[in-house]
Amino acid sequence: MMTKFVAACAIVTGLAFPAIAQTPGTTNMEILRQKIKADKKLVVAENLSLTDAEGAAFWPVYDAYQKDLQQINQRLGAVIVAYADAYKKGPVANDVAKKLLDEALAVDEAEAKLKGSYVPKILASLPATKAARYIQIENKIRAVIRYELADGIPLVN
């Protein structure tokens, strides 16, 4: 169970933190993060079949959304790291659990609010069917990430 927890922390850390330990040159974590971002964009591109005009309008919106989503990923990563630190010390105190729960809920709310704020921009750049398809793709990708995290993070003790 702890191995999965560490792996989940690594996944979110890789997605959330652009450079945890800055060293000269590119770190392995940065390479992984860039690969994940590129693969995600490729998945979106392959599943939307955009015309040139749609692509010209959509990709700047996509990039801005991903940049804003990165801030939420960082918050989520911080919650997971804080939980990992508390978990390693033994039973998690009630006040710590409450603080972590509040922040986790705030992250969820921020993600929903962000998505809602981008839907009009996405609809302005794509026909409604493609906009809906993009949101579905984004939801599926986020669900896979959340599943991997949930699978690797032990229940609070």
Side-chain angles (χ1 to χ4, degrees):
M1 181 66 103
M2 189 53 111
T3 304
K4 285 186 178 183
F5 186 37
V6 171
C9 290
I11 288 169
V12 115
T13 303
L15 292 174
F17 301 109
I20 292 174
Q22 280 293 333
T23 57
T26 306
T27 65
N28 287 338
M29 193 61 79
E30 179 65 15
I31 292 168
L32 176 62
R33 189 178 67 84
Q34 292 301 327
K35 172 101 172 88
I36 291 169
K37 283 174 63 176
D39 289 349
K40 180 179 179 182
K41 194 168 190 174
L42 181 62
V43 167
V44 170
E46 287 179 354
N47 284 282
L48 285 184
S49 303
L50 301 176
T51 66
D52 289 343
E54 290 168 344
F58 172 73
W59 290 117
V61 175
Y62 172 88
D63 290 336
Y65 180 67
Q66 296 307 308
K67 182 179 177 190
D68 290 344
L69 192 56
Q70 187 66 24
Q71 294 171 353
I72 290 169
N73 290 341
Q74 288 173 345
R75 285 180 66 191
L76 177 60
V79 171
I80 291 170
V81 168
Y83 176 61
D85 291 344
Y87 185 87
K88 285 186 245 175
K89 293 176 184 171
V92 178
N94 281 328
D95 62 325
V96 173
K98 173 75 169 95
K99 181 180 174 189
L100 292 168
L101 177 60
D102 288 345
E103 180 59 14
L105 291 172
V107 169
D108 287 346
E109 289 172 9
E111 185 175 342
K113 183 177 177 182
L114 178 66
K115 187 187 310 177
S117 74
Y118 268 87
V119 166
K121 297 171 189 176
I122 295 165
L123 283 167
S125 66
L126 295 175
T129 54
K130 288 186 179 181
R133 179 182 285 247
Y134 167 65
I135 294 298
Q136 287 177 314
I137 294 165
E138 191 69 44
N139 287 342
K140 287 176 185 250
I141 291 168
R142 300 292 291 175
V144 168
I145 292 168
R146 291 287 184 145
Y147 174 81
E148 290 296 322
L149 292 172
D151 187 47
I153 298 173
L155 295 175
V156 68
N157 56 355

